[in-house]
């Protein structure tokens, strides 16, 4: 039986609804988060990669696949490749006029992704959230957020294995009288906080919401507000890794801070 992957499903939704901007955004979100297998000319040498680059009528493209088996089916023989996230590959190719041939001829998600789209994706994923300091006066259940935002947060946080105990979405009133929504993480690993904040921002961006924001905050289990979050908040339980598993902290989908060098 042929496996249907998350990229297959996101591509199908985008194809079936070409005028739906949110479907297109969800496809690119899946592309950024997904592990991809990049076809190389030769084995990687340290941080240096030499991908196969193909010239076609629409421009230059590297070939990437969301499963190793799909790469093997395309090549028909053993071939060197590198495994990296879509976000890292987009950052590596941004500004070089090179696109991605994704799953060409081996999957329903076969598509040529132009360099302009990769530049946009790299820029969008590179946005860092603003840091603010504000005291919270009131906490209440979240109201008025589109279901697309809830779904996007749930999908993002499901990839943050071992990053925090839980997250809670609530409505808040700040001491200055301003109202908004907050995603509060409880017992987050300190080194994971930047990645979690970035993931929350991406969930909002790729949910297709034109405007709006969600504050992100981090609390210890002993903080007084943690009990209020548990009482009023919509809870997201983050996956717990097996005890024997070593967690390599990255933004869900991979860490773009040290992309490979394209040769």
């Amino acid at each position: 039986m042929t496996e249907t992957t998350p990229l297959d499903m996101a591509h199908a939704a985008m194809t079936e609804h070409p005028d739906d901007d949110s479907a297109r955004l969800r496809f690119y979100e899946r592309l950024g988060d997904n592990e991809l297998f990049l076809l190389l000319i030769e084995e990687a040498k340290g941080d240096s990669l030499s991908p196969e680059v193909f010239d076609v009528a629409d421009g230059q493209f590297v070939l990437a696949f969301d499963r190793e088996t799909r790469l093997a089916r395309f090549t028909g023989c053993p071939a060197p490749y590198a495994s990296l996230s879509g976000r890292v590959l987009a950052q590596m190719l941004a500004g070089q006029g090179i696109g991605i041939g994704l799953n060409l001829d081996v999957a329903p998600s076969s598509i040529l992704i132009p360099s302009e789209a990769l530049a946009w994706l790299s820029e969008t994923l590179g946005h860092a959230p603003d840091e603010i300091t504000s005291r919270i006066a009131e906490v209440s259940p979240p109201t008025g957020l589109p279901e697309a935002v809830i779904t996007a947060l749930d999908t993002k946080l499901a990839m943050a294995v071992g990053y925090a105990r839980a997250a809670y979405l609530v409505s808040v009133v700040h001491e200055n009288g301003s109202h908004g929504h907050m995603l509060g993480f409880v017992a987050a690993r300190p080194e994971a906080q930047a990645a979690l904040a970035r993931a929350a921002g991406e969930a909002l961006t790729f949910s297709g919401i034109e405007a709006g924001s969600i504050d992100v905050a981090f609390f210890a289990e002993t903080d007084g507000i943690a009990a209020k979050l548990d009482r009023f908040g919509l809870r997201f339980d983050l996956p717990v890794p097996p005890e024997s598993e070593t967690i390599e902290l990255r933004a869900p989908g991979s860490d773009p801070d040290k992309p490979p060098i394209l040769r």
Side-chain angles (χ1 to χ4, degrees), residues 52-74:
E52 288 271 15
V53 179
F54 295 85
D55 292 300
V56 299
D58 295 325
Q60 290 187 311
F61 294 85
V62 298
L63 299 186
F65 305 82
D66 64 346
R67 293 290 186 269
E68 292 174 273
T69 52
R70 290 178 168 179
L71 184 150
R73 196 181 315 146
F74 178 88

Side-chain angles (χ1 to χ4, degrees), residues 40-50 80-82 260-263:
L40 302 179
I41 297 173
E42 58 184 7
E43 296 291 344
K45 298 177 180 178
D47 291 331
S48 182
L49 301 180
S50 300
Y81 66 88
I261 300 169
L262 178 65
R263 291 195 294 139

Side-chain angles (χ1 to χ4, degrees), residues 88-113:
V88 169
L89 182 55
Q91 185 183 57
M92 185 176 77
L93 296 175
Q96 302 198 47
I98 301 175
I100 296 175
L102 177 69
N103 289 334
L104 294 187
D105 299 329
V106 295
S109 53
S110 174
I111 185 175
L112 290 175
I113 301 171

Side-chain angles (χ1 to χ4, degrees), residues 180-239:
H181 288 93
M182 180 186 76
L183 186 67
F185 289 94
V186 174
R189 297 175 65 175
E191 64 271 37
Q193 292 182 7
L196 289 170
R198 187 160 57 240
E202 289 176 12
L204 191 66
T205 297
F206 288 104
S207 65
I209 305 306
E210 297 259 337
S213 63
I214 295 176
D215 296 330
V216 177
F218 300 92
F219 305 98
E221 292 181 280
T222 54
D223 289 342
I225 196 173
K228 293 183 180 180
L229 294 177
D230 192 48
R231 178 182 177 186
F232 295 109
L234 176 62
R235 176 172 175 145
F236 300 87
D237 286 306
L238 278 66

Side-chain angles (χ1 to χ4, degrees), residues 83-231:
S83 171
L84 64 170
S85 71
R87 69 175 63 230
V88 169
L89 182 55
Q91 185 183 57
M92 185 176 77
L93 296 175
Q96 302 198 47
I98 301 175
I100 296 175
L102 177 69
N103 289 334
L104 294 187
D105 299 329
V106 295
S109 53
S110 174
I111 185 175
L112 290 175
I113 301 171
S115 59
E116 295 83 2
L118 292 182
W120 170 84
L121 181 61
S122 178
E123 181 181 0
T124 300
L125 293 173
H127 288 162
D130 296 328
E131 294 186 12
I132 61 172
T133 301
S134 178
R135 295 182 65 85
I136 298 169
E138 298 178 22
V139 176
S140 59
T143 59
L145 279 174
E147 187 64 30
V149 173
I150 309 300
T151 301
L153 284 171
D154 190 46
T155 300
K156 279 287 186 185
L157 297 180
M159 293 183 284
V161 180
Y163 282 34
R165 180 174 64 79
Y168 299 87
L169 184 62
V170 293
S171 294
V172 293
V173 178
H174 299 279
E175 282 193 342
N176 61 9
S178 63
H179 295 246
H181 288 93
M182 180 186 76
L183 186 67
F185 289 94
V186 174
R189 297 175 65 175
E191 64 271 37
Q193 292 182 7
L196 289 170
R198 187 160 57 240
E202 289 176 12
L204 191 66
T205 297
F206 288 104
S207 65
I209 305 306
E210 297 259 337
S213 63
I214 295 176
D215 296 330
V216 177
F218 300 92
F219 305 98
E221 292 181 280
T222 54
D223 289 342
I225 196 173
K228 293 183 180 180
L229 294 177
D230 192 48
R231 178 182 177 186

